[in-house]
Amino acid sequence: MSEIKKIIQQPLFKITSLNSIHILLKLIFGFSTSKALALFVGANGMAYVGNFRAFLNVVENFSLLGIQNAIIKYVSEYQHDKTKLKSVLATFGLLLLSSSIAISFILIFGANYLSKQLFNQSEMYGFLFYILAILFPLYVFSTYCISVVNGFQEYKKVIYIQIISSGIALVFSLFLIYYYSTFGALVSLVLAPVFVFFVCLFYLKNLISISDVFSFSSFDFSVFINLSEYVLMALVSGVIGSFVLLEIRTDIVTITGLQNAGIYEGLQRISSYYLLFVSSIMTIYFYPKLAAKNSNLKEIIFNYLKTIIPLFTIGLVIIYFLRKLIIQVLFSSEFETMESLFLWQLLGDLLKAISLIFGTILIANKKTKTFIITEIISLCILYFSSNWMLHTFGINGIVMAHTFTYFMYLLVMFFIFFKKMKSNNSTIG
């Protein structure tokens, strides 16, 4: 009993328990949205939703330039030093304001072209990019705000923000999908981060002020210079990675057809729901610890592997055996062929979850060269293996390539980390 009590009292257990409630609610919200998409949009429309999501990832990552990781790191370090904290908040805030406005103008002038590129030569969704352009600064600052809260290590507040904003987004998404079909589904993707922004404002009011964020006098050029490594990592992982994923989605449409692209998008939605359990714990709990000075990397790695991964593995096994029911509940008969994709997708996601801790350490410790090399290798493996396996095995090839990529990535990470940790005890050089 004493051992059980000790485990229950650990911060990680408390955060994991609260986060599990958040994930459960997120699953319910996500399942509801997926069902609405299947019923009112169909596989073809879901393929468009997938393409637009991939595009949003590109522009968001390009405008953020990896700053979200830097915000968490520096706010965590300087939260008790008001002068340095203000310079960090202002520098990041003004940079994001500039980048988001620049992207907004590009979206306005390129609306019709982007619509043709993303939606199968159709310009009918051009108006969507005008909406995105208007809301894009809020879209970007939602990430800024939640990163600040996370930097203060207010774990519970981060989870509450995500729960509340997800609930609001669900209501608007169902309304838009029901009345406006595919266009409504696309608009709901734009609105979701905006809700995060407004909910964040409520929780930030006692932590920072607006004047801290947009203070030109507090802009610190040295902080801006120190961002270069985060920018490089973001360009490789976020921007280039998103472009690769967008190109892979295009290949799926070209090689296997639009319907298969929609089925693949449905599977990715399921994947994103359960991966949220791992990624949110990583962002909320592990990243701030890894970014702190003198962190014991060996202890953090083994804590992650022995606590989070076993729970995640059990969840994946349950999902596999319930895959038929999941497809029936979430989608329609149009998505039945998705069942054959589950095994490789789940296996690849398990490898991805294991490798996540190693990639996060490289970002938190600004090991830019190692991070960029490993990311480029993994992206090359993913793109070329996806293209080859799509031609060879059809739609099943895309999930096989997913598993193969993370297997190779994990082998590289094991080699790098365990070799370094053996020689340096707890540091990665």
Side-chain angles (χ1 to χ4, degrees):
M1 287 295 290
S2 60
E3 285 297 317
I4 295 174
K5 187 177 180 181
K6 190 184 295 184
I7 293 172
I8 292 173
Q9 290 176 342
Q10 289 181 357
L12 178 57
F13 179 85
K14 293 178 180 179
I15 296 299
T16 303
S17 300
L18 180 59
N19 189 57
S20 296
I21 297 172
H22 161 234
I23 298 302
L24 179 61
L25 291 172
K26 188 82 173 180
L27 287 173
I28 295 171
F29 298 160
F31 289 168
S32 301
T33 306
S34 295
K35 188 66 176 180
L37 285 170
L39 292 175
F40 300 109
V41 173
N44 290 354
M46 195 171 285
Y48 286 158
V49 171
N51 281 353
F52 190 58
R53 279 209 307 172
F55 171 77
L56 288 176
N57 286 335
V58 172
V59 292
E60 182 183 11
N61 286 316
F62 190 79
S63 59
L64 287 170
L65 295 174
I67 288 177
Q68 65 271 38
N69 294 316
I71 293 171
I72 296 172
K73 180 178 177 63
Y74 290 124
V75 170
S76 179
E77 283 186 13
Y78 301 136
Q79 59 182 301
H80 303 299
D81 186 332
K82 290 186 177 180
T83 303
K84 286 186 176 179
L85 178 62
K86 190 173 182 180
S87 68
V88 166
L89 293 173
T91 303
F92 292 156
L94 292 171
L95 283 174
L96 288 183
L97 181 63
S98 301
S99 66
S100 62
I101 290 174
I103 294 292
S104 290
F105 278 109
I106 293 172
L107 291 169
I108 290 171
F109 291 111
N112 289 334
Y113 171 79
L114 291 169
S115 180
K116 289 178 69 176
Q117 292 299 309
L118 290 176
F119 304 117
N120 203 23
Q121 302 301 313
S122 173
E123 294 184 6
M124 66 179 293
Y125 296 114
F127 185 69
L128 176 69
F129 294 94
Y130 295 125
I131 298 173
L132 177 60
I134 294 169
L135 296 177
F136 196 69
L138 300 183
Y139 192 103
V140 171
F141 271 92
S142 67
T143 303
Y144 173 90
C145 290
I146 203 162
S147 296
V148 171
V149 179
N150 206 358
F152 279 107
Q153 298 185 37
E154 296 282 355
Y155 306 131
K156 290 183 178 180
K157 287 183 179 179
V158 173
I159 295 173
Y160 291 147
I161 289 168
Q162 292 171 335
I163 290 174
I164 295 169
S165 58
S166 295
I168 298 171
L170 172 67
V171 174
F172 276 86
S173 295
L174 294 179
F175 173 82
L176 289 169
I177 292 168
Y178 180 78
Y179 284 102
Y180 300 102
S181 165
T182 301
F183 183 77
L186 297 171
V187 171
S188 69
L189 292 179
V190 177
L191 291 179
V194 177
F195 298 134
V196 175
F197 171 78
F198 285 111
V199 176
C200 276
L201 289 183
F202 175 80
Y203 283 96
L204 276 172
K205 62 184 180 182
N206 295 323
L207 296 175
I208 63 171
S209 65
I210 296 295
S211 60
D212 293 333
V213 179
F214 301 112
S215 173
F216 287 93
S217 61
S218 297
F219 186 92
D220 190 337
F221 195 73
S222 64
V223 173
F224 173 71
I225 294 298
N226 287 333
L227 285 174
S228 59
E229 292 179 272
Y230 285 104
V231 171
L232 284 173
M233 289 189 283
L235 285 173
V236 174
S237 179
V239 179
I240 299 176
S242 296
F243 268 119
V244 169
L245 292 176
L246 187 56
E247 187 62 30
I248 289 172
R249 288 177 181 275
T250 303
D251 286 345
I252 295 172
V253 175
T254 304
I255 298 168
T256 70
L258 188 61
Q259 184 172 352
N260 275 331
I263 290 169
Y264 173 72
E265 169 60 19
L267 181 64
Q268 295 314 296
R269 293 183 72 87
I270 297 172
S271 174
S272 67
Y273 299 148
Y274 57 71
L275 280 173
L276 186 64
F277 170 77
V278 177
S279 61
S280 57
I281 283 290
M282 183 64 67
T283 303
I284 294 168
Y285 184 81
F286 285 98
Y287 183 82
K289 287 187 173 295
L290 291 168
K293 293 180 179 178
N294 303 317
S295 58
N296 189 323
L297 299 186
K298 185 182 290 187
E299 181 181 319
I300 294 171
I301 289 172
F302 284 108
N303 189 24
Y304 175 78
L305 294 178
K306 73 180 182 182
T307 56
I308 303 302
I309 294 302
L311 288 174
F312 186 67
T313 304
I314 293 169
L316 293 183
V317 172
I318 293 172
I319 289 170
Y320 178 74
F321 285 110
L322 295 178
R323 63 193 185 282
K324 285 186 179 180
L325 179 62
I326 291 172
I327 295 170
Q328 290 172 1
V329 171
L330 293 187
F331 304 105
S332 62
S333 57
E334 192 178 6
F335 292 80
E336 286 179 356
T337 54
M338 187 192 294
E339 185 183 342
S340 64
L341 307 179
F342 266 81
L343 181 59
W344 286 107
Q345 181 71 41
L346 295 173
L347 183 56
D349 286 339
L350 176 59
L351 297 175
K352 182 178 182 178
I354 296 170
S355 64
L356 186 61
I357 185 71
F358 302 111
T360 304
I361 290 173
L362 295 179
I363 295 172
N365 289 270
K366 290 170 66 174
K367 301 302 176 183
T368 311
K369 184 178 178 181
T370 305
F371 179 85
I372 289 175
I373 292 172
T374 53
E375 280 294 303
I376 289 176
I377 290 172
S378 67
L379 287 173
C380 287
I381 293 172
L382 178 61
Y383 178 74
F384 290 109
S385 64
S386 295
N387 189 274
W388 178 73
M389 291 186 184
L390 273 171
H391 279 99
T392 307
F393 302 105
I395 190 61
N396 288 315
I398 195 67
V399 285
M400 294 167 70
H402 170 66
T403 300
F404 176 70
T405 299
Y406 279 103
F407 174 73
M408 297 302 296
Y409 180 76
L410 196 55
L411 282 182
V412 173
M413 285 299 186
F414 275 142
F415 176 78
I416 293 171
F417 276 80
F418 284 99
K419 184 180 178 181
K420 291 289 185 181
M421 291 175 68
K422 190 176 180 180
S423 59
N424 299 334
N425 190 26
S426 65
T427 60
I428 303 297

